[in-house]
Amino acid sequence: MKRLEHVDPVFDQLFAKIPPEITDTFTEEQLKAIKKVFGSRNWGRHPLDLRVSVPIPGLRFYLVLLAGSERGLKQRLQYEKSVYPLWTPGNIVFLTGFLIILLTSSFTTFSFLFSLLTSVPTSPYPTSIPWLHNKFECEHTGRTWRDGDCWDSEHNPMF
């Protein structure tokens, strides 16, 4: 088998999969052309590159999220759309679940923030005190007896 000087790991993996009886037939010109193609490729790292193995018992599952600026040719992009369509059953299930989780968490977060902003006013207002049953007990605690009830004029709703 002809040996190539190290180009990159992807090239090494692909070249190793070619049977030796074929690699032995490559000329030096062909090998140089192959190296040149692999050396000029634009397969760099993405600004966002998340690769996670999801530990689900009994399943080997992974998730990859890549993002960056689009530098591809229109012809290649159209080809990839036909090879990797967006609306497949698996993608629809994933996107639906993701959307449900996103909406639920957003609703919960906004409800919590709204409740903080519109909390119950803390200014006191008059309230009857049900456990004080006579005028003496009521006035002894600094409250007012009126119409057979004991009234506290400084009751705090946060009590």
Side-chain angles (χ1 to χ4, degrees), residues 92-130:
I92 291 170
V93 169
F94 173 78
L95 291 172
T96 302
F98 181 75
L99 186 62
I100 289 170
I101 290 169
L102 182 67
L103 290 173
T104 304
S105 60
S106 297
F107 177 75
T108 304
T109 302
F110 288 124
S111 295
F112 175 72
L113 292 174
F114 184 73
S115 71
L116 288 177
L117 295 174
T118 59
S119 62
V120 177
T122 58
S123 58
Y125 59 90
T127 304
S128 84
I129 308 298

Side-chain angles (χ1 to χ4, degrees), residues 4-81:
L4 294 174
E5 59 196 56
H6 180 71
V7 176
D8 66 39
V10 175
F11 176 79
D12 291 342
Q13 288 176 346
L14 291 174
F15 197 76
K17 291 179 181 181
I18 301 172
E21 59 270 10
I22 294 174
T23 59
D24 289 342
T25 65
F26 289 152
T27 65
E28 286 301 317
E29 274 186 51
Q30 289 171 327
L31 291 174
K32 285 181 183 178
I34 293 170
K35 286 185 215 178
K36 185 177 178 183
V37 169
F38 269 86
S40 68
R41 64 190 170 90
N42 266 343
W43 300 346
R45 296 211 24 104
H46 294 81
L48 176 63
D49 188 344
L50 297 174
R51 298 166 191 262
V52 180
S53 291
V54 182
I56 299 176
L59 295 174
R60 296 181 68 186
F61 184 73
Y62 67 96
L63 179 66
V64 176
L65 178 62
L66 301 173
S69 60
E70 183 60 71
R71 296 183 304 243
L73 300 172
K74 283 190 177 192
Q75 184 180 10
R76 182 186 60 81
L77 295 174
Q78 288 174 344
Y79 169 74
E80 285 184 353
K81 279 184 181 180

